[in-house]
Amino acid sequence: MTMRRYKVTVVGAGYVGLSLALLLTKRANVVLLDVDADRLAKIAEGISPLKDKEIEVALADPSRRPRTTIDRAEAYNGADFVIVATPTNYDPDLNFFDTSSVEAVLRDARAFAPNTTAIVKSTIPVGFTERMRREFATPNILFSPEFLREGRALWDNLHPSRIVVGDRTDEARAFAELLRSASDEAEVPTVLTGSTEAEAIKLFANTYLALRIAY
């Protein structure tokens, strides 16, 4: 059975966004959107703006490069999935994640592609997805945590330890299968859960890794 070829818009060309864009070009028509035109120009030329061996190798192959743009209307038009991979820096003094960039992307996605399913990959606080669903009056906002290492992001996407999507809808299943089919693994443990549980899984994983480093 031939898998449908989706249009996927990835917003954010950092480790998470760029590695996902390169992963998904194997199974989807991918557009990479970022505010940094110089970074996108390098990617379009096959030059990695990041230190990551697998990303460098993938970009050397023109067939693996996503289409790049700084034009929001062009990027979102006709997108089946919008992947949000923008920074959400944590302020320990304020005990607060700055989710303003994620909210801006969700606002644009609703404006330019109201029927799209938005998948947040940025780290967010527990309860954020449900709040966004209420604010934007749509159930089509999901959270799917990433478990990537800086410098090995594409390798980790190609060989995922697990795939977690915070919903149990057909769209959530389709996205999980898209990630699995684009990986180099025939079988990947996949968990479809509630949005709050998915958010907690990411934060618990981060805490566990921090404790390992501390000890």
Side-chain angles (χ1 to χ4, degrees):
M1 181 178 178
T2 303
M3 187 175 180
R4 175 184 169 186
R5 194 165 181 89
Y6 294 98
K7 178 185 176 181
V8 178
T9 299
V10 179
V11 187
Y15 277 105
V16 176
L18 181 53
S19 64
L20 279 167
L22 290 169
L23 173 82
L24 294 177
T25 53
K26 297 164 66 177
R27 292 288 182 269
N29 299 321
V30 180
V31 177
L32 181 61
L33 173 68
D34 197 273
V35 295
D36 190 333
D38 291 337
R39 173 171 287 217
L40 292 181
K42 286 183 178 180
I43 292 169
E45 293 171 5
I47 302 169
S48 177
L50 305 168
K51 188 174 178 57
D52 185 302
K53 179 182 177 182
E54 283 75 23
I55 286 178
E56 292 169 4
V57 171
L59 281 175
D61 180 355
S63 69
R64 293 288 304 280
R65 295 174 204 161
R67 185 158 57 91
T68 60
T69 184
I70 59 170
D71 186 319
R72 292 176 298 163
E74 176 188 352
Y76 291 116
N77 183 43
D80 297 294
F81 295 111
V82 171
I83 298 175
V84 189
T86 57
T88 52
N89 297 324
Y90 178 74
D91 187 326
D93 295 325
L94 297 176
N95 193 30
F96 175 76
F97 281 99
D98 181 1
T99 59
S100 58
S101 67
V102 175
E103 294 173 49
V105 172
L106 295 176
R107 194 175 301 113
D108 286 343
R110 289 289 291 162
F112 291 109
N115 296 320
T116 194
T117 297
I119 295 101
V120 178
K121 281 285 184 179
S122 307
T123 301
I124 53 176
V126 172
F128 177 82
T129 305
E130 284 298 331
R131 180 165 68 85
M132 290 298 98
R133 288 173 175 175
R134 291 193 299 270
E135 287 191 14
F136 291 102
T138 178
N140 296 330
I141 299 174
L142 317 180
F143 177 66
S144 176
E146 49 82 16
F147 307 101
L148 308 178
R149 294 168 294 170
E150 190 171 303
R152 299 302 305 277
L154 182 52
W155 195 97
D156 288 339
N157 269 317
L158 289 167
H159 306 278
S161 59
R162 70 276 205 202
I163 293 171
V164 179
V165 182
D167 210 338
R168 300 181 178 89
T169 59
D170 290 343
E171 289 78 11
R173 291 185 175 85
F175 182 70
E177 176 57 20
L178 182 61
L179 291 178
R180 187 213 59 78
S181 67
S183 78
D184 287 344
E185 302 296 330
E187 299 292 336
V188 181
T190 301
V191 178
L192 300 179
T193 186
S195 62
T196 301
E197 290 83 356
E199 292 161 348
I201 286 170
K202 172 59 176 174
L203 295 180
F204 291 161
N206 284 2
T207 302
Y208 172 69
L209 290 174
L211 284 171
R212 284 183 62 187
I213 293 170
Y215 281 104

